[in-house]
Amino acid sequence: MTNKDARTPASAQEGPAEAGTSVGWHKAYVEGSRPDLRVPVRQVHLTNGQSVGLYDTSGPYTDPLVDTDVRRGLAPLRENWIVARGDTEEYAGRPVRPEDDGIKHTAPRGGLRNLDAVFPGRPRQPRRGRDGRAVTQLAYARRGEVTPEMEYVAVRENVSPEVVREEIAAGRAVLPANVNHPEIEPMIIGKRFLVKVNANIGNSAVTSSIEEEVEKMTWATRWGADTVMDLSTGRNIHTTREWVLRNSPVPIGTVPLYQALEKVDGRAEELTWEIYKDTVVEQAEQGVDYMTVHAGVRLAYVPLTANRKTGIVSRGGSIMAAWCLAHHRESFLYENFEELCEILAAYDVTYSLGDGLRPGSIADANDEAQFAELRTLGELNRIAKHRNVQTMIEGPGHVPMHKIKENIDLQQEVCDEAPFYTLGPLTTDVAPAYDHITSGIGAAMIAWWGTAMLCYVTPKEHLGLPNRDDVKTGVITYKIAAHAADLAKGHPGAQEWDDALSDARFEFRWEDQFNLALDPDTAREFHDETLPAEPAKTAHFCSMCGPKFCSMKISQDIRREHGGSKAEIEEGMAQKSAEFAAAGNRVYLPLAD
Amino acid sequence: MTNKDARTPASAQEGPAEAGTSVGWHKAYVEGSRPDLRVPVRQVHLTNGQSVGLYDTSGPYTDPLVDTDVRRGLAPLRENWIVARGDTEEYAGRPVRPEDDGIKHTAPRGGLRNLDAVFPGRPRQPRRGRDGRAVTQLAYARRGEVTPEMEYVAVRENVSPEVVREEIAAGRAVLPANVNHPEIEPMIIGKRFLVKVNANIGNSAVTSSIEEEVEKMTWATRWGADTVMDLSTGRNIHTTREWVLRNSPVPIGTVPLYQALEKVDGRAEELTWEIYKDTVVEQAEQGVDYMTVHAGVRLAYVPLTANRKTGIVSRGGSIMAAWCLAHHRESFLYENFEELCEILAAYDVTYSLGDGLRPGSIADANDEAQFAELRTLGELNRIAKHRNVQTMIEGPGHVPMHKIKENIDLQQEVCDEAPFYTLGPLTTDVAPAYDHITSGIGAAMIAWWGTAMLCYVTPKEHLGLPNRDDVKTGVITYKIAAHAADLAKGHPGAQEWDDALSDARFEFRWEDQFNLALDPDTAREFHDETLPAEPAKTAHFCSMCGPKFCSMKISQDIRREHGGSKAEIEEGMAQKSAEFAAAGNRVYLPLAD
């Protein structure tokens, strides 16, 4: 997680002074081979003069030198790279229709507004590959090209650009980056790289405003979300997505089926391939970086869910199952998969092949329905790769610990090591209100064993809509799971972060502990609850054991008294014994002595 | 976790009506082979007429028919069983001295108060084995005796009493039950049984009152703590412990070294075997059920910690290391271990052999110091067993995921499968304020692999003293880890709890979901945040997906439309297809349609 690259950060500025933000760190940038390739780093400056660079997902919002405005959107960082490749063209684009925003089509059909109208920022036209060609990072990687996006993630991950290119070319990693989302800071998802975390946002039956969704996105990335999925349903779905995309420094994922269902007023059986395809084009033109497609829910698999305890728990899966049964036909997503690949390739939209039949309870884990769908996803993965579409595979769900490894092992086998992207899994069903924890356990384990990205679960899972605090709790819990996995995988540099924090702890550098923490604000707040005074932050003790009854203090005394190395201590033990006693080394003084 | 014993609960009363407590469950008792052997069960009554019995640690406090009073203490449930064995005797006991409560010995030495004075409840004299004989559950088990305590835990765990006896006799399980703590409801710790959770309480430099400590204990057991350790230091340590013991339905553990250090005003080098031994007798007479003894911190191991990142992080370990170095002598605990065994055997105090050299950071995990001590604990375990003292072994600490299994495997090997009792382990150092989660991950994994009891970690770990909310969060997190492990171990009956909750979820029985939840209060509160109205608790949807956009609802529709079994669905799919469409099956109606 730490960035110890020899290159000095290009600029290191004061961190933002907004309320609640920690001091002691700075937004810095590591420059690549060209001046427009600047990779952000959260540079933590320690009181001992050292500094530690941490992976930074927060975007320009934490750079006080960048003037951000959600009505204008972020600067199109990648635009020159995309244009310079010369393989895309701007075009008029599909007209935006009222029903794209869930407004009933009693209004006249046809173009009503263009993209400019739904977002007040700079005017833009959508872009796609010339003559329908694949403009994907996969295509470039296979041709041996290292794109600026690949170099960017190489700097971010402290690996060589060639490793990035190889992993993408082999289909073991994806770099989601729609040509219509030039605002993103590129990132990579694959088992050779740091484990990533996705946060879901989105309004639902209970309406939340567009501004709230943008705010949830920036809030989630501030705490470390690597990608964000906009799962909005209902009204203003198109416009909300436009605002989120124009302001997002991270790749945005969606489930186009949700919006398609809105367009047929929620009647699953009225869905058609044409409506679905139109929705995919609409979202691809806006810049969605990856899309969940439930093409593995085949007609023949639906009966396999009949004896399940909790049936089908994926929204997309249940919609497709209802469609298949209503028409008694094979899924239109499965039957038109090749055509869908052509569309995605022309924008570089990455597939996230959905697990519509994932288990929704411990009882249903690893059953026939789940694994039948997984094998189909493996088949679709090969088709997508053949068409140069980047692809990752979604995974469960609810799985007891002893059945987790089988999931990643089978997925890696049947999907040719394509990146696995799992929801948890939850390791028990009995703790609603704590499913960030039931699932954080499973997430850490499955990531250790090779899962590339973890979809977060908030405390509200199964109960209600997550608020701002829930989003933060979900992201932090999943950053813990991801980092624990990075450590267990022996990811180069991962342990430097732990070491820096533990050094600070042992040396009672409280401010450094806070600033290095995943959540500096809460760590400081918890410390101050018991010992609020400023001197306590330089004190050689903490509130747990009192002023002198502190094991670390005693350990330090031992080292000071007996030398710093094992040999010194052994050599000096005998002669030091008397001195130690003579010095009256009190390890504890009662407060009221 | 569920109790499906054929025996009907002896009595099922209304649950308590106090604020915040859920309705829909009752305190029930399963009667054993004798009328005074009644095992408590939390009997959850579901709206579909079924009921589920859950393991209940909350003691008489949740039984509305029992009139509890913390000034009187709990009824001595086991007293007749202990007396009937005829192998113990009451005696005058060691006089209670002012310094037992941390009051400076400028006051006249000698007996000042007796036990009656420090606790207002029924007068009692301490009890011990006649002629110093071992009155331990281990000794009985080896002789082939099934004690009422063993039968009690057999009912609790749904196993035969003979299994309980065998596991104790083999040293693979302990049943901590001091003859001076007759108030406890017996429980067992061993890998063949349900994974247990310990919660720590105790005042520190920042004083908390005696009543607060009793309240923390009952609060922790209400949420599922199986044992409680009183880690108090400072003033009123003796009196606090007396109050906690007389009111505790679960075994109480302590670290006698803390109080011994108080008696020498915090000067580690002034500790002596005599002061320590006197403290052990004092606590054994009060009824402490298990004691952490750091006898594995040998002089020769101290230099092994010299090159560590975080030195010695165990309080007890650092105190003993300081003593060893000050005197340049072998640990007095190690040297007097056999005599200590004799004392513990006479009261049936269980050893918890402390891991004084456990790692305090990811960098120090599984190092030479840690494993050298573990091998010594294995040696001490054999001595203790030889003396008929029940023994468990403490474990780490901070360990990355890929190094966890080595801990339990080595412990089981060198300690002859004695119960392992670990603190987490924390799987990363970078998340202060979230160490219940960093450690909950490691706890679940190590419990799956055979750890018998988990010592909880609260969000305040490394930062401050846990308050009431922190205690609850710590206990719930660890109950999740323990139950996830029970599932992964395939513990008989464990999954019935998950199944009952998942059935309720699939059938939209919201009240049943809440009542079956590990924390019904928070689950209900989270649900009500978005959908507070009472009808929402019987609605066939939830706030996440809106009134009709619900995968479980669609799944149910599918079953209803197409039959309940796989064969029926396959058979009926073709003919049902037309009907389904004709019925106009809308799976989603926009709210403002």
Side-chain angles (χ1 to χ4, degrees), chain A residues 236-285:
Chain A
N236 297 322
I237 190 168
H238 179 101
T239 304
T240 301
R241 190 166 50 235
E242 187 67 25
W243 281 70
V244 168
L245 279 161
R246 300 288 74 82
N247 284 290
S248 175
V250 302
I252 296 295
T254 61
V255 186
L257 192 64
Y258 296 173
Q259 189 180 10
L261 189 69
E262 297 282 353
K263 292 180 183 175
V264 294
D265 293 334
R267 295 182 187 91
E269 75 280 10
E270 289 189 12
L271 281 168
T272 64
W273 164 237
E274 284 65 35
I275 290 168
Y276 185 86
K277 185 168 64 172
D278 174 67
T279 307
V280 167
V281 170
E282 172 191 345
Q283 299 194 6
E285 288 181 350

Side-chain angles (χ1 to χ4, degrees), chain B residues 191-218:
Chain B
K191 62 182 173 181
R192 288 271 306 259
F193 306 101
L194 291 165
V195 175
K196 302 304 187 297
V197 171
N198 172 70
N200 294 332
I201 61 169
N203 57 14
S204 174
V206 179
T207 312
S208 64
S209 74
I210 290 171
E211 284 85 343
E212 269 176 58
E213 294 310 311
V214 174
E215 157 70 11
K216 268 192 221 163
M217 178 272 294
T218 57

Side-chain angles (χ1 to χ4, degrees), chain A residues 11-179:
Chain A
S11 66
Q13 298 106 15
E14 274 300 315
E18 68 178 272
T21 303
S22 315
V23 297
W25 63 272
H26 303 76
K27 183 89 174 185
Y29 296 90
V30 178
E31 199 173 296
S33 65
R34 43 197 286 176
D36 66 345
L37 201 158
R38 297 166 72 239
V39 178
V41 175
R42 181 185 170 94
Q43 201 74 25
V44 181
H45 294 275
L46 307 180
T47 55
N48 66 359
Q50 295 173 350
S51 91
V52 178
L54 302 178
Y55 193 102
D56 183 4
T57 60
S58 62
Y61 301 102
T62 50
D63 185 340
L65 297 190
V66 177
D67 180 26
T68 57
D69 175 356
V70 292
R71 299 183 59 81
R72 202 175 60 227
L74 297 176
L77 175 68
R78 294 196 303 132
E79 192 163 72
N80 290 340
W81 308 346
I82 295 164
V83 171
R85 283 195 277 264
D87 55 0
T88 54
E89 60 187 359
E90 288 188 325
Y91 67 110
R94 174 191 170 283
V96 178
R97 307 191 185 101
E99 57 265 38
D100 297 346
D101 265 337
I103 295 159
K104 299 285 294 172
H105 42 183
T106 46
R109 281 205 174 247
L112 190 86
R113 298 177 294 177
N114 58 27
L115 284 171
D116 299 357
V118 297
F119 182 73
R122 71 193 163 81
R124 57 175 287 273
Q125 278 207 311
R127 179 181 290 280
R128 68 183 169 198
R130 280 186 209 279
D131 313 318
R133 78 181 71 171
V135 293
T136 67
Q137 297 289 325
L138 175 56
Y140 306 141
R142 281 184 171 157
R143 290 205 297 263
E145 286 175 34
V146 172
T147 61
E149 287 89 343
M150 295 178 204
E151 189 194 333
Y152 192 102
V153 301
V155 173
R156 252 183 147 168
E157 302 265 352
N158 275 309
V159 296
S160 78
E162 185 53 23
V163 166
V164 172
R165 192 200 60 76
E166 272 173 19
E167 292 298 300
I168 294 173
R172 288 189 298 263
V174 294
L175 194 163
N178 185 325
V179 294

Side-chain angles (χ1 to χ4, degrees), chain A residues 167-219:
Chain A
E167 292 298 300
I168 294 173
R172 288 189 298 263
V174 294
L175 194 163
N178 185 325
V179 294
N180 291 306
H181 194 194
E183 296 90 349
I184 59 163
E185 296 171 347
M187 52 78 69
I188 193 163
I189 303 164
K191 63 183 173 182
R192 288 271 307 260
F193 306 100
L194 291 164
V195 176
K196 302 305 187 297
V197 170
N198 171 71
N200 294 332
I201 61 168
N203 58 13
S204 175
V206 180
T207 312
S208 66
S209 73
I210 290 170
E211 285 86 341
E212 268 177 59
E213 294 310 311
V214 174
E215 157 68 13
K216 268 191 219 163
M217 178 273 294
T218 57
W219 181 243

Side-chain angles (χ1 to χ4, degrees), chain A residues 204 265-267 308 312-313 326 428-429 434 460 464 498 502 519 529 543-544 551 555 559 577 586 588, chain B residues 204 265 267 308 312-313 326 428-430 434 460 464 498 502 518-519 529 543-544 551 555 559 577 586 588:
Chain A
S204 175
D265 293 334
R267 295 182 187 91
R308 277 183 160 184
I312 300 173
V313 296
T428 169
D429 305 337
Y434 298 85
K460 288 281 168 59
D498 297 73
S502 288
D519 177 1
E529 264 181 41
S543 58
M544 285 86 79
S551 60
S555 274
R559 286 193 192 175
S577 169
R586 298 155 69 101
Y588 174 55
Chain B
S204 174
D265 294 335
R267 296 181 187 91
R308 277 184 159 184
I312 300 173
V313 296
T428 169
D429 304 338
V430 302
Y434 298 84
K460 289 281 168 60
D498 298 71
S502 288
L518 207 40
D519 176 1
E529 262 180 42
S543 59
M544 283 87 76
S551 61
S555 274
R559 285 193 193 177
S577 169
R586 299 156 70 101
Y588 173 54

Side-chain angles (χ1 to χ4, degrees), chain A residues 546-548 586 588-593, chain B residues 101-106 204-207 233-236 262 265:
Chain A
K548 295 274 172 72
R586 298 155 69 101
Y588 174 55
L589 291 169
L591 264 183
D593 194 26
Chain B
D101 265 337
I103 295 157
K104 299 285 295 171
H105 40 185
T106 46
S204 174
V206 179
T207 312
T233 57
R235 287 292 168 90
N236 297 322
E262 297 283 353
D265 294 335

Side-chain angles (χ1 to χ4, degrees), chain B residues 239-256:
Chain B
T239 303
T240 301
R241 190 165 51 234
E242 188 68 23
W243 281 70
V244 168
L245 279 161
R246 299 289 74 81
N247 285 289
S248 175
V250 302
I252 297 294
T254 61
V255 186

Side-chain angles (χ1 to χ4, degrees), chain A residues 122-449:
Chain A
R122 71 193 163 81
R124 57 175 287 273
Q125 278 207 311
R127 179 181 290 280
R128 68 183 169 198
R130 280 186 209 279
D131 313 318
R133 78 181 71 171
V135 293
T136 67
Q137 297 289 325
L138 175 56
Y140 306 141
R142 281 184 171 157
R143 290 205 297 263
E145 286 175 34
V146 172
T147 61
E149 287 89 343
M150 295 178 204
E151 189 194 333
Y152 192 102
V153 301
V155 173
R156 252 183 147 168
E157 302 265 352
N158 275 309
V159 296
S160 78
E162 185 53 23
V163 166
V164 172
R165 192 200 60 76
E166 272 173 19
E167 292 298 300
I168 294 173
R172 288 189 298 263
V174 294
L175 194 163
N178 185 325
V179 294
N180 291 306
H181 194 194
E183 296 90 349
I184 59 163
E185 296 171 347
M187 52 78 69
I188 193 163
I189 303 164
K191 63 183 173 182
R192 288 271 307 260
F193 306 100
L194 291 164
V195 176
K196 302 305 187 297
V197 170
N198 171 71
N200 294 332
I201 61 168
N203 58 13
S204 175
V206 180
T207 312
S208 66
S209 73
I210 290 170
E211 285 86 341
E212 268 177 59
E213 294 310 311
V214 174
E215 157 68 13
K216 268 191 219 163
M217 178 273 294
T218 57
W219 181 243
T221 57
R222 173 176 165 178
W223 294 109
D226 294 285
T227 74
V228 167
M229 288 194 82
D230 177 3
L231 303 183
S232 293
T233 57
R235 290 290 168 91
N236 297 322
I237 190 168
H238 179 101
T239 304
T240 301
R241 190 166 50 235
E242 187 67 25
W243 281 70
V244 168
L245 279 161
R246 300 288 74 82
N247 284 290
S248 175
V250 302
I252 296 295
T254 61
V255 186
L257 192 64
Y258 296 173
Q259 189 180 10
L261 189 69
E262 297 282 353
K263 292 180 183 175
V264 294
D265 293 334
R267 295 182 187 91
E269 75 280 10
E270 289 189 12
L271 281 168
T272 64
W273 164 237
E274 284 65 35
I275 290 168
Y276 185 86
K277 185 168 64 172
D278 174 67
T279 307
V280 167
V281 170
E282 172 191 345
Q283 299 194 6
E285 288 181 350
Q286 286 186 287
V288 169
D289 300 288
Y290 65 90
M291 296 183 187
T292 295
V293 177
H294 297 95
V297 182
R298 299 188 60 180
L299 176 66
Y301 303 157
V302 181
L304 301 179
T305 66
N307 298 326
R308 277 183 160 184
K309 198 154 275 293
T310 46
I312 300 173
V313 296
S314 149
R315 280 188 196 180
S318 65
I319 294 163
M320 289 311 300
W323 188 93
C324 290
L325 288 183
H327 295 276
H328 194 231
R329 275 189 53 189
E330 186 56 271
S331 155
F332 64 80
L333 293 175
Y334 182 80
E335 292 198 325
N336 295 284
F337 192 74
E338 297 233 15
E339 190 181 343
L340 190 57
C341 290
E342 280 180 37
I343 300 169
L344 267 54
Y347 301 92
D348 200 3
V349 175
T350 297
Y351 269 124
S352 184
L353 294 178
D355 56 336
L357 303 181
R358 68 169 172 269
S361 55
I362 291 298
D364 294 342
N366 296 18
D367 72 354
E368 203 186 343
Q370 183 195 339
F371 285 159
E373 181 189 33
L374 180 56
R375 288 195 180 85
T376 296
L377 299 186
E379 174 198 328
L380 297 173
N381 173 59
R382 288 192 184 178
I383 296 170
K385 295 288 169 57
H386 183 69
R387 297 276 182 172
N388 274 322
V389 183
Q390 303 192 81
T391 306
M392 54 186 172
I393 312 291
E394 295 186 7
H398 291 239
V399 185
M401 283 192 287
H402 64 300
K403 292 187 176 178
I404 290 177
K405 194 157 188 303
E406 188 183 1
N407 277 273
I408 172 79
D409 288 349
L410 183 62
Q411 184 273 337
Q412 289 287 292
E413 181 198 327
V414 302
C415 300
D416 307 326
E417 301 181 80
F420 204 24
Y421 167 30
T422 62
L423 178 73
L426 287 72
T427 55
T428 169
D429 305 337
V430 302
Y434 298 85
D435 279 329
H436 59 306
I437 297 175
T438 66
S439 68
I441 293 167
M445 293 170 71
I446 205 164
W448 168 26
W449 292 324

